[in-house]
Amino acid sequence: MIVIENIGSSYRGAFNVQIRDEIPAGLSYHGNLAIVDGTGAVLTYTKPDQTTATAADFFSASGVMIADPGATAASGIDGVNGGAIDGYSATSGRNIAVITFDAVVEASAYSTLANNGGLITNKAVIEDYANSENSGVNTFLPGVQSISETASLSLRTGEVKKAIVSSSELSTTSNNVAIGEIIRYRLQVDIPEGVLNNFELIDVLPAGLSFLNDGSAKLALAGTNANTFSWNLTNNPIANFFIPGNGDNSSILPTQAVPAPALSNNSKTLTWALGDLVNLDRDNSITESVILEFNALVDNISATKKGTTLENSGQFNFNGIRSQFNKVTATVVEPQFEITKTVVPSSGSDAGDLLNYKVVLKNLGNSVAFNLQVEDALGNLGANFDLQSVAIDSQPALANASISSSITNAASAATGDRVQLLADQLQPNESITFNYSGVLLAALQPGSKLTNEALIRYTSLPGERGSITNPTGSSTPGVSGANNGERNGSGDSTAPNNY
């Protein structure tokens, strides 16, 4: 809408009002040009030379001229209200011209935005006007002078949605993840209508996450029908990726494998180039989406530890228009053990006495520990101690703890006696209690001090490579202790394998 107001006080009004409009690239005229005054009365127009004009002339370099007189008939010999637009009135509306027309955003409009600050700007121009009907006489805008005003619109560029779809381990909940676990990420972009040249999906992984290039990345295009979309990736027919839309498309699960992304920034920036993507739909109530799902591994590196936040970011890029990042965060969780060991009696014993040991293992961490192995080689008890019995006092049901190779036929700890306990898992805040007893041997010297300690090792995932069957479609690729595997205790107290 263009509004021209005559704020001058001439009783004749404004004559020879010459106006035009500049339709920018990305917009096209779609009919219904109307020029009326403030009361709604029609104002007729001609070409500036007073020959017949069409709507197209309004958008030409010379524009059109509103005919004199306007909707108000001239009166008296001095031509009161003889101009196209009456003199100023606070109430009549006759001193105002209102111009309206329809315009359509062209499919190619997005190609113009990068060079125009992201806006499509329309410009209206008053080329000239006068205080009498004599063409070229008493003009108020001689030569190249003009009055102009602009109106800008911004186009919908799309919406980015990031989410964690699933992970490989049932033992973690919400967005918590264990070392070596696989996270399945979703990047959904609700795209606008039009030609989206050089369309890219871009995802940035933090240190501690690695893209799994194992064919598990999938892509879908969701909308009204496959004919809604086109692109220039000739080796990947768009029909293979199309899935009928469903509301906001959040329930759509992509099933078609997508070619591997380009990797940059030490393989932390993933770019899927989808070429020139065209969305031909013109129903604004329908959501069209590009949906990508892919897997990333929680790396077994020293920097990845309990409490580490892993922030994954996604965005899109087309026609030089780059969206803001949308982010989703996962938090690393780990087991942490406390071992309490007591002996009765703790003093005053001598050869032939029975010592009773009690060991309590408790998981103080915020993640399940798997593949537990407790070893007590009975330390410097050595030739002074003969192991007699080992028993489990208490354990949670899922621990499935057992005593393995605990009592040997050896004469003493020095020749092979040891305690070994194995358990499948231990949940946070759960504990296993076991005991063992043995006899002090005659070789024990009076005043001897006997010390021994138990050592526990465990892993961050079940089995050797985590849960092989899981919702992500991938399994942990590396062997236990590798940077792309689960965390274990092979490094003793040295990170990262310090379990």
Side-chain angles (χ1 to χ4, degrees):
M1 175 186 290
I2 304 166
V3 178
I4 300 172
E5 182 181 11
N6 181 4
I7 59 175
S9 58
S10 170
Y11 60 84
R12 295 191 186 94
F15 292 80
N16 305 332
V17 179
Q18 185 179 338
I19 54 176
R20 64 182 178 88
D21 192 90
E22 297 177 1
I23 293 283
L27 285 183
S28 58
Y29 175 62
H30 199 61
N32 299 320
L33 175 66
I35 305 177
V36 298
D37 69 10
T39 71
V42 173
L43 299 177
T44 59
Y45 57 89
T46 66
K47 291 182 179 181
D49 62 3
Q50 298 186 347
T51 59
T52 302
T54 65
D57 293 310
F58 178 64
F59 304 101
S60 68
S62 56
V64 299
M65 186 170 65
I66 301 175
D68 302 322
T72 305
S75 63
I77 59 173
D78 54 358
V80 175
N81 295 324
I85 303 175
D86 290 1
Y88 176 74
S89 169
T91 58
S92 72
R94 295 291 190 178
N95 66 312
I96 295 173
V98 180
I99 305 167
T100 57
F101 60 90
D102 295 335
V104 172
V105 178
E106 297 175 342
S108 60
Y110 288 99
S111 63
T112 71
L113 296 187
N115 297 322
N116 293 289
L119 300 174
I120 293 180
T121 301
N122 175 242
K123 182 178 181 181
V125 181
I126 300 176
E127 289 287 1
D128 207 355
Y129 63 96
N131 62 0
S132 72
E133 64 179 342
N134 297 316
S135 178
V137 178
N138 297 320
T139 59
F140 283 77
L141 298 171
V144 296
Q145 295 183 55
S146 63
I147 299 172
S148 65
E149 184 60 64
T150 61
S152 298
L153 62 91
S154 59
L155 299 185
R156 173 176 172 259
T157 56
E159 181 181 1
V160 182
K161 301 172 182 177
K162 278 291 300 182
I164 293 176
V165 178
S166 61
S167 68
S168 60
E169 304 305 323
L170 293 176
S171 59
T172 54
T173 58
S174 187
N175 286 0
N176 296 324
V177 291
I179 306 297
E181 187 168 0
I182 297 165
I183 307 172
R184 188 156 187 83
Y185 286 106
R186 180 184 181 94
L187 172 57
Q188 176 176 328
V189 178
D190 297 337
I191 60 173
E193 299 159 2
V195 179
L196 315 178
N197 294 318
N198 302 314
F199 188 91
E200 295 176 334
L201 295 174
I202 302 167
D203 204 275
V204 180
L205 299 174
L209 282 180
S210 294
F211 172 66
L212 285 182
N213 189 13
D214 58 0
S216 58
K218 300 293 186 349
L219 182 75
L221 299 174
T224 304
N225 56 66
N227 294 329
T228 298
F229 300 101
S230 67
W231 63 16
N232 57 359
L233 301 183
T234 56
N235 294 327
N236 296 278
I238 210 160
N240 294 347
F241 297 89
F242 176 76
I243 297 177
N246 182 10
D248 63 2
N249 296 327
S250 60
S251 63
I252 300 296
L253 297 179
T255 58
Q256 182 67 29
V258 63
L263 303 178
S264 58
N265 188 28
N266 294 320
S267 297
K268 298 303 181 184
T269 299
L270 320 174
T271 302
W272 282 268
L274 303 184
D276 297 335
L277 177 62
V278 181
N279 178 8
L280 301 174
D281 185 75
R282 293 298 179 265
D283 186 345
N284 291 335
S285 67
I286 302 296
T287 300
E288 293 86 32
S289 305
V290 181
I291 304 166
L292 172 73
E293 291 187 2
F294 67 92
N295 291 339
L297 177 74
V298 181
D299 298 327
N300 180 25
I301 58 176
S302 298
T304 308
K305 54 190 175 182
K306 181 182 177 181
T308 298
T309 55
L310 303 172
E311 187 176 81
N312 172 237
S313 305
Q315 67 173 176
F316 65 80
N317 180 35
F318 65 83
N319 294 103
I321 302 167
R322 190 176 292 266
S323 74
Q324 295 293 317
F325 278 106
N326 198 329
K327 303 175 182 179
V328 64
T329 299
T331 302
V332 175
V333 291
E334 290 193 279
Q336 182 179 341
F337 274 89
E338 175 187 73
I339 302 179
T340 304
K341 188 174 185 179
T342 57
V343 60
V344 177
S346 61
S347 63
S349 300
D350 55 18
D353 288 349
L354 185 70
L355 297 183
N356 297 295
Y357 285 88
K358 180 180 178 181
V359 182
V360 180
L361 314 172
K362 187 171 184 179
N363 183 357
L364 300 179
N366 54 2
S367 181
V368 181
F370 294 96
N371 306 313
L372 281 77
Q373 180 174 322
V374 180
E375 293 277 358
D376 191 335
L378 305 180
N380 67 354
L381 297 179
N384 301 309
F385 186 78
D386 183 18
L387 182 65
Q388 301 290 304
S389 66
V390 183
I392 296 174
D393 294 329
S394 64
Q395 63 169 309
L398 294 178
N400 194 30
S402 63
I403 301 298
S404 173
S405 303
S406 298
I407 304 173
T408 71
N409 293 323
S412 70
T415 56
D417 276 349
R418 64 192 179 95
V419 176
Q420 183 185 73
L421 179 140
L422 304 176
D424 291 344
Q425 62 173 268
L426 196 61
Q427 302 277 340
N429 297 314
E430 289 186 341
S431 59
I432 299 173
T433 301
F434 69 96
N435 69 78
Y436 61 91
S437 61
V439 176
L440 291 174
L441 300 178
L444 181 66
Q445 296 297 311
S448 298
K449 183 177 181 181
L450 303 177
T451 303
N452 76 303
E453 61 182 11
L455 176 66
I456 182 172
R457 285 190 171 90
Y458 50 95
T459 65
S460 58
L461 302 179
E464 295 183 0
R465 295 177 185 263
S467 301
I468 303 301
T469 302
N470 64 74
T472 71
S474 297
S475 58
T476 302
V479 298
S480 183
N483 287 349
N484 60 347
E486 67 180 3
R487 183 162 293 177
N488 63 24
S490 60
D492 292 327
S493 60
T494 302
N497 293 304
N498 54 3
Y499 283 1

